[in-house]
């Protein structure tokens, strides 16, 4: 039976690319049939990556399938996975996030979790000498994953391992890494066709803090004014998203990649309190600028207080 390889809901570049990379490795190197899958539409940057490297968009699925062999990449959080994740035959997890807990498996499995900026970086090491066999498209996907998750090495999650590998991949591909990263970020910044609710969910994770459920959303962009011009309508849409997703509040951060700062939207007093207690912010309106805040994984979620 073909293995399904997939990452989290609201697929970004690392989740999309890593699923493709590992499915290639299992199929072409290990001789085990595997297909990459997605749990939703890829964001604009991930879609750019697919087009740039002539990669087919993986099939979108809602459920893993009872007893189906699966590999999970770029997450270990059941809230970000299919509702039937504990019913599938989960074989492996490859991730760079903190351990969440809640996944149950039918038997012992192979788990690799490392404090690197990108899941694809971990995969390169796991491949060993076989990494040299990657075709250009797979190398391009891997480079894209690293540049996206590190924000071209601006993110505090960046490690020397990520940077050295990205430089090697760019050299192998014969491309200007800075110019390519700019193309990626420009694609990510084009959010004009998305509804407010889609923007809120586009790059987000659900976290529980002191008994309250928050959807923590980030919009990483080189053109922050585009989503900020829609600030009022986005905040109005947060109530509907909370009701539909059965959560309490939305924390949305518009991250300016170039200025290396985040603007946090403040729709209500609870979120205002979170901003003040978590980041020492002085909130006087419906938004607050947080200098130096870039990473949801390292700077936002670990610091959240209600």
């Amino acid at each position: 039976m073909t293995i399904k390889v997939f990452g989290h809901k609201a697929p970004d570049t690392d989740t999309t690319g890593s699923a493709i990379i590992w499915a290639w490795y299992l199929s072409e190197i290990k001789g085990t049939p595997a297909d990459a899958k997605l749990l939703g539409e890829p964001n604009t940057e991930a879609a750019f990556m697919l087009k740039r490297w002539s990669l087919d968009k993986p099939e979108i699925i809602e459920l893993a399938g009872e007893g189906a062999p699966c590999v999970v990449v770029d997450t270990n959080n059941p809230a970000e996975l299919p509702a039937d994740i504990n019913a599938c035959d989960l074989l492996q997890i490859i991730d760079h996030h903190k351990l969440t807990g809640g996944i149950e498996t039918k038997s012992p499995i192979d788990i690799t979790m490392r404090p690197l900026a990108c899941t694809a970086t971990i995969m390169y090491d796991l491949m060993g000498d076989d990494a040299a066999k990657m075709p250009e498209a797979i190398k391009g996907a891997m480079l894209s994953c690293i540049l996206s998750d590190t924000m071209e090495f601006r993110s505090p999650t960046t490690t020397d391992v990520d940077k050295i590998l990205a430089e090697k991949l760019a050299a192998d591909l014969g491309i200007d890494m800075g110019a390519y990263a700019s193309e990626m970020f420009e694609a990510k910044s084009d959010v004009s066709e998305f509804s407010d609710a889609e923007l809120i969910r586009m790059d987000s994770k659900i976290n529980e803090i002191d008994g309250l459920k928050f959807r923590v959303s980030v919009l990483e962009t080189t053109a922050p004014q585009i989503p900020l011009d829609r600030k009022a309508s986005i905040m109005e849409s947060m109530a509907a998203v909370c009701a539909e997703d059965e959560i309490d509040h939305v924390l949305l951060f518009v991250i300016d990649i170039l200025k290396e700062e985040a603007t946090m939207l403040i729709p209500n007093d609870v979120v205002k309190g979170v901003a003040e207690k978590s980041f020492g912010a002085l909130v006087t309106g419906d938004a607050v600028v947080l200098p130096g805040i870039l990473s949801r994984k390292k700077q936002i979620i670990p610091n959240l207080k209600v």
Side-chain angles (χ1 to χ4, degrees), residues 30-155:
K30 305 301 288 184
T32 304
D35 286 334
K37 305 292 183 183
L38 295 176
L39 303 184
E41 285 291 339
N43 69 16
T44 51
E45 184 186 75
F48 166 82
M49 172 194 68
L50 294 174
K51 183 176 181 181
R52 170 62 178 80
W53 299 104
S54 300
L55 294 162
D56 292 333
K57 184 177 82 171
E59 177 190 10
I60 296 174
I61 61 173
E62 291 188 9
L63 297 174
E66 185 172 355
C70 297
V71 171
V72 167
V73 302
D74 197 32
T75 186
N76 68 89
N77 187 347
E80 300 173 358
L81 291 166
D84 65 343
I85 189 63
N86 287 340
C88 77
D89 183 11
L90 186 58
L91 305 175
Q92 186 177 28
I93 297 174
I94 306 172
D95 191 19
H96 66 130
H97 297 93
K98 71 174 184 176
L99 182 63
T100 300
I103 290 179
E104 298 179 5
T105 61
K106 299 181 181 302
S107 59
I109 70 169
D110 185 347
I111 300 177
T112 303
M113 298 176 66
R114 296 182 185 172
L116 299 175
C118 178
T119 305
T121 307
I122 301 172
M123 292 178 171
Y124 181 86
D125 186 58
L126 292 177
M127 289 180 191
D129 292 341
D130 289 325
K133 301 174 184 176
M134 289 189 297
E136 183 175 274
I138 297 299
K139 288 181 179 180
M142 187 172 283
L143 175 62
S144 303
C145 292
I146 298 170
L147 291 175
S148 177
D149 266 17
T150 66
M151 295 188 210
E152 197 189 0
F153 318 130
R154 294 176 176 88
S155 171

Side-chain angles (χ1 to χ4, degrees), residues 248-265:
D248 296 295
H249 298 281
V250 170
L251 306 179
L252 190 146
F253 301 79
V254 179
I255 295 177
D256 187 328
I257 297 172
L258 301 180
K259 287 188 177 180
E260 300 188 18
E261 64 183 22
T263 299
M264 181 179 179
L265 302 194

